[in-house]
Every structure is written in structure tokens, then in C-alpha cells.
Amino acid sequence: MAVQRIISVAQGHICRVSMTIDRDIADDQRRSQLPATPAPKKRVQDRGLATKQRILDEALQQFSRSGFDAVGVRDIAEAAGVQHGLIKYHFGTKDNLWREAVRQLFQRATQILQVPPEEENLSTEEATEKALRRYVRYCADHPEHARLMVQESFRDNERLEWASRKFIRPSHDDILPRWQDLIGKGVAPNIDPVLMLYAMTGAAQTLFSIAAEAKHSHGIDALSEEVIQQYSDVIVTLFMPGLMSAHI
Amino acid sequence: MAVQRIISVAQGHICRVSMTIDRDIADDQRRSQLPATPAPKKRVQDRGLATKQRILDEALQQFSRSGFDAVGVRDIAEAAGVQHGLIKYHFGTKDNLWREAVRQLFQRATQILQVPPEEENLSTEEATEKALRRYVRYCADHPEHARLMVQESFRDNERLEWASRKFIRPSHDDILPRWQDLIGKGVAPNIDPVLMLYAMTGAAQTLFSIAAEAKHSHGIDALSEEVIQQYSDVIVTLFMPGLMSAHI
DNA sequence: CCAATTTTTATCCACTTGGATAGCTATTTT
DNA sequence: AAAATAGCTATCCAAGTGGATAAAAATTGG
């Protein structure tokens, strides 16, 4: 594996660099309102878009289950019902496919986790409790999210750096001030918000990520409605212990 | 990958079955005090034992970082400074090597996490707090443990079933009654102990497992003494909120 | 010291890997 | 309808995969 891995990494670097540059250029152009480079204006067809999406969905599932290196582009292609050559056609490289899948993953997460209109004028405590429960529900409904990111985080590499900068850090920057607020009100424990966030996400995600283990070890079905409900209560109780007293 | 994976899985099954049988036979013999089969009495040399250990150590590191499928026996062998053929000689199969590494991992964990003599006559609360802090410290000192098991738990397979039955379930059976005790005393929140255990281990492990992400996203070094200390406090505060009041 | 045995290396194998390429098919524009 | 283009398949490649095997090297009991 050594040599191919090196090649793969090297190519990953190359791809990443060129891709990042392309994207950064694109971002810059968006910022400065300039039209992109003459734009070869490729007319994408619905058919192509559909298969591209099918590949992305399968890629997300497989990458999250087995990790980047253990998944073959052929596995993904087969699951999507296409020839593996199509992955090169639609995404260029396996690395690129991964990034596209992650981009879509976080996009969907942001939509699902955003505060709905009817919760906008709740008190901070109530809103946070709802958000906490919504997050637990998301972890249960989409265990592939935690699985994917956690696997990448076990080993430091370019993909992690990219995802962290692009998605994780921004989302945390959004959450942390609100926790700070809760601490001030005495609803959340007075603990460094960053450590608190890792404890919370770790607690909320893990049970659903490793549902197979929970099944083997205790016979519980972590993804059942009953357990999800109970576990939401667990997380709220643990991380907003002042909630009850605040309500009273 | 498809075909080779099937072959690999099939062989894994065979190996596992035969191995499990062997082991079960061995266990049975140990139970019934019968000497094992005439014992071909192979005289192992120190040299062989040493390289075997070197391979095991490297295997643990690499499996935990990248997951079983993504690691090549050649990677492990190279890191251990030997030819990859030696892995077949010492362990038979890659699957077997994994199991041997996990066996040793849990053996070491049990040693490190056991209650030291000087803590034996502490109160349940104090003993539990010590145990909690000891666990957090272990997670920080040996992040490979959580990484390895979590990766296997993402996907259901024979290795997970084996590890769960052999190591995880027994250890949980040991811990759960003690938590039940704490709940009775009002020191720990009145929550299903199993869910509580997953919340606790998830919270305690994750930060250290994904230290690379924490570094990228917040610039914190999760494995620094300072953070380990702080995080121990976080875990104790979260999971033994009644500790203070119990002390007063 | 030397014969027996354990440990290690050097190759071999069939199969898989990510990616490249050429050409075929389907769709769209003119 | 036909030219143009997008989507897709089939096939090739060099390199890597886990495992098998035989012969070399190191160790040890006698």
C-alpha cells in the first residue's frame, strides 16, 4: 500500500491544491461580483445530475461506514449502479468525491438544525433545550455525519483540515456565544464552553454512531424511537441541569 | 475490492470459527483442568516474542488510526521493521493479528483502570470520582483504544461481535451495578444506567480521539496536561452533579 | 560444535486498487 | 434530421493487496 498511498496522497495534494485554488478564485469572484473565467458553460443534463446525486449518496454512506481509504470507487459505483469510470467523469478524483459529499452533508445539516420560525421568540433556555433535542434527533437520524467526521479526525490530514476550516469552525463559532449566554444565566454548568461543546457532541453522537456495539453489548436498539426519546432527556438533564430550577 | 473482500471475509469467518473453537476448547480445558492436546511444545525464542510484540504494537497504532481494512499488513510490517511474511508466521492472518492486538489492549486497560489498593476503603462517591478521573486520564493517554473500538462499531461485523462479547460486555457488567448504587444515593442523575454509561464514555473519549480536529477547529491541544485536568473536572461535574451536595 | 528447530527473508500468486482513455449512446441545439 | 455535446461503458494500466511457499539465517539443546 505504501507507494500507492503516497501517490494517492500526492495526487490528493495536487487535486486539493488546484481545487482549493479554483474554489478560492470562485469565492473571490463571487465576492467581487466578477463573472467567472469565460465559463466554458457546460450544459449539465438532468440525467447526469441525478446519477451524480446517486453517487454522492452512496459515497456518503460508504465513506462514513468504512473510512476514506477502505472504500473503493468501484464499491461506490456498484452501489450506485454505474461504472466506476463515471466517478472520474463527475468528480475527477476520489478525494474530490469525498469533499463534495461532505459539503452536501453539512449543507443538509445546517438546514435541519436551523432554528424554525416558531421557536424564534422563545426564551434562551427553552430555545436551547429545543436545539439540544433537535441535535440529538439529528445524530440519531443521520449517524453517518458523526461517523464520517470522527473517522477523518482520528488521523490528521488535508481533508480534515479542509472540513474543519470550511464547516466545523464556522458552526462552532455560531454555537459557542449562545452557550456562554446560558452559563451567565446559570442554566448551563460554568465550564469552558469549548470543552463543554466537545463533551456534549461526544455524548450526543456516540451512542447512535456505535449503535451496532450497543446492540451487541446490551441488546438495545439505539435507533428506536423509544431510546432516542430517552436519550434526548439524558442529554438535556446532563447539559442543562439548571433547566428545572430555572423554570420553577 | 468486492471479490477480495468476500474472500477475506470468508477466510475471516473460517479463521474466526476455527480460532474461536480452539479458544473455547482451550477455555474448557482450563476449566476442567485437563492438559491441552499433547502440546507440540514449540520452544519460542525471545527474539520471536520480541518481534511479535513489536508487530502487535504497530498493528494497534495503525488499526486504530486507519481502521482494519485501510491498513495493509505490509504497512504494519514495515513500521515494525520486518518483512510482511512474518505476520503470517506469527499470527496466521490479518484478522487474527487484529484480535491479538485487541486482546492485549483490553488486558492493559483492565490493569490500568483497576481500583488501586489505597482507594479500596473510600466511600462509593469518592471511589467513583477517582475512577471517573482515572478513566478520563486513560482516554487521554491511550486514545487508540477508543479509536479502534469506535471504528469497528461503525460497521457491524464478526470482529465487533467478538470484541463485544469477549471484552466490552464483561467490563460493562462490572461497572453498571456501581452506577446503580450511586443513583440510589442521589449522587448520579436518575437515568437509565446503560444510556448514562454511553453518554459518559462518549463524552470522555471523544475529545481525545479527535484531538486533531480540536486542534484545527479551536487551536486547543487536547492531549496537554492542562486540558486533561480541566476535562476531568468537566466529566465529574457533568456526571456526578450531586457530588458537591453529597459532600456537604 | 553440530544437528534440530525457530525465525526471517525473498518471491510468487491471483486479485484489487485509483485513474486514464477511447469509443459508444443518449440528449439537446440548431 | 443532423451536428454537437453530455453521459456513460468497456477496457487498460501500473501499483498494491493478503496470503502461500521455499530456502536462508539465527538460535539453541545435546
Side-chain angles (χ1 to χ4, degrees):
Chain A
M1 167 164 288
V3 176
Q4 176 155 24
R5 178 172 294 164
I6 289 165
I7 289 171
S8 178
V9 169
Q11 290 176 337
H13 273 280
I14 292 161
C15 288
R16 190 197 65 79
V17 170
S18 64
M19 196 198 126
T20 304
I21 289 170
D22 288 344
R23 185 154 299 279
D24 284 348
I25 288 171
D27 286 343
D28 288 342
Q29 284 165 340
R30 203 167 298 126
R31 256 199 305 278
S32 56
Q33 306 289 359
L34 287 174
T37 45
K41 56 176 175 179
K42 176 179 164 186
R43 329 175 288 222
V44 289
Q45 303 176 0
D46 285 350
R47 179 174 57 132
L49 228 63
T51 45
K52 196 171 174 180
Q53 190 55 51
R54 239 178 320 128
I55 293 171
L56 278 170
D57 291 342
E58 284 302 330
L60 183 57
Q61 289 304 318
Q62 306 225 18
F63 281 142
S64 66
R65 265 198 276 273
S66 311
F68 182 83
D69 287 319
V71 174
V73 291
R74 283 169 176 82
D75 299 324
I76 296 169
E78 188 186 8
V82 297
Q83 294 288 326
H84 80 277
L86 264 195
I87 284 174
K88 175 176 164 57
Y89 176 74
H90 282 295
F91 302 96
T93 63
K94 182 184 174 187
D95 194 277
N96 232 345
L97 168 59
W98 186 91
R99 287 171 202 247
E100 208 55 55
V102 168
R103 194 194 308 280
Q104 208 169 77
L105 173 71
F106 273 92
Q107 197 175 314
R108 188 187 60 184
T110 304
Q111 282 173 11
I112 295 176
L113 291 174
Q114 76 188 343
V115 178
E118 67 268 26
E119 287 181 19
E120 267 170 5
N121 32 7
L122 289 179
S123 70
T124 318
E125 293 86 352
E126 286 173 321
T128 308
E129 186 194 344
K130 296 263 189 206
L132 218 46
R133 290 181 185 278
R134 193 160 47 235
Y135 179 66
V136 174
R137 172 72 56 176
Y138 174 76
C139 290
D141 287 345
H142 301 284
E144 70 274 10
H145 188 132
R147 287 183 188 137
L148 194 87
M149 294 317 299
V150 161
Q151 296 219 45
E152 284 303 319
S153 303
F154 284 172
R155 212 171 17 149
D156 203 356
N157 61 42
E158 278 299 330
R159 289 190 301 277
L160 174 62
E161 192 279 324
W162 174 85
S164 185
R165 174 170 44 82
K166 208 93 178 174
F167 305 112
I168 302 173
R169 199 154 43 193
S171 97
H172 284 191
D173 287 347
D174 188 45
I175 296 167
L176 286 175
R178 286 192 273 156
W179 269 105
Q180 199 63 268
D181 219 40
L182 284 179
I183 293 172
K185 293 190 180 179
V187 180
N190 186 13
I191 290 175
D192 174 17
V194 173
L195 297 190
M196 184 62 144
L197 186 57
Y198 277 98
M200 193 276 284
T201 53
Q205 292 173 349
T206 309
L207 175 62
F208 305 112
S209 291
I210 66 172
E213 193 256 275
K215 184 77 178 177
H216 280 301
S217 298
H218 298 98
I220 68 171
D221 179 5
L223 301 180
S224 73
E225 187 54 35
E226 191 195 345
V227 170
I228 297 174
Q229 271 294 347
Q230 276 186 44
Y231 205 65
S232 299
D233 294 341
V234 171
I235 298 298
V236 171
T237 305
L238 286 173
F239 293 89
M240 298 184 71
L243 190 60
M244 304 302 184
S245 48
H247 272 293
I248 297 170
Chain B
M1 167 164 287
V3 175
Q4 176 154 24
R5 178 172 295 164
I6 288 166
I7 290 171
S8 175
V9 169
Q11 292 177 335
H13 273 279
I14 292 162
C15 288
R16 191 197 62 79
V17 170
S18 65
M19 196 197 128
T20 304
I21 290 171
D22 287 346
R23 184 153 300 281
D24 285 348
I25 288 173
D27 287 345
D28 288 342
Q29 284 167 340
R30 204 166 299 125
R31 256 199 304 278
S32 56
Q33 305 289 1
L34 288 173
T37 46
K41 55 176 176 180
K42 175 179 164 187
R43 329 177 291 222
V44 290
Q45 301 177 0
D46 284 351
R47 179 173 59 130
L49 227 64
T51 44
K52 198 171 174 181
Q53 190 55 49
R54 236 177 323 130
I55 293 171
L56 278 170
D57 291 342
E58 283 303 330
L60 182 59
Q61 289 304 318
Q62 305 225 16
F63 281 141
S64 66
R65 266 199 276 271
S66 310
F68 182 82
D69 288 319
V71 174
V73 291
R74 282 169 176 81
D75 299 324
I76 296 169
E78 189 186 9
V82 297
Q83 294 288 326
H84 79 278
L86 265 193
I87 285 175
K88 175 178 165 54
Y89 176 74
H90 282 295
F91 302 97
T93 64
K94 182 184 174 185
D95 193 277
N96 232 344
L97 168 59
W98 186 90
R99 287 170 204 249
E100 208 56 55
V102 169
R103 195 194 307 280
Q104 207 169 80
L105 173 70
F106 273 93
Q107 196 175 313
R108 188 187 60 185
T110 304
Q111 282 173 12
I112 296 176
L113 291 174
Q114 74 187 345
V115 178
E118 68 267 25
E119 287 181 19
E120 267 170 8
N121 33 4
L122 289 179
S123 71
T124 316
E125 294 85 352
E126 286 173 322
T128 308
E129 186 195 341
K130 295 266 188 201
L132 217 48
R133 290 181 186 277
R134 192 159 47 235
Y135 180 65
V136 174
R137 173 71 56 173
Y138 175 75
C139 291
D141 287 344
H142 301 283
E144 71 275 8
H145 188 133
R147 286 182 189 138
L148 193 87
M149 294 317 300
V150 161
Q151 296 218 43
E152 284 303 317
S153 303
F154 284 172
R155 209 171 21 145
D156 203 355
N157 61 43
E158 279 298 330
R159 288 189 301 278
L160 174 61
E161 192 278 324
W162 175 84
S164 185
R165 173 170 46 80
K166 209 93 178 171
F167 304 111
I168 302 174
R169 201 153 43 190
S171 98
H172 284 192
D173 287 347
D174 189 44
I175 297 168
L176 286 175
R178 286 192 272 157
W179 268 105
Q180 199 63 268
D181 218 41
L182 284 179
I183 293 172
K185 294 190 180 179
V187 180
N190 186 13
I191 289 175
D192 174 18
V194 172
L195 297 189
M196 184 62 144
L197 186 57
Y198 277 98
M200 192 277 283
T201 53
Q205 292 173 350
T206 308
L207 175 63
F208 304 112
S209 291
I210 66 172
E213 192 255 274
K215 183 76 180 179
H216 280 302
S217 298
H218 298 99
I220 67 171
D221 180 4
L223 301 180
S224 72
E225 187 55 33
E226 191 194 345
V227 171
I228 296 174
Q229 270 294 346
Q230 275 187 45
Y231 204 63
S232 299
D233 294 341
V234 171
I235 297 298
V236 171
T237 305
L238 286 173
F239 292 90
M240 299 183 72
L243 189 61
M244 304 304 184
S245 46
H247 272 294
I248 298 170

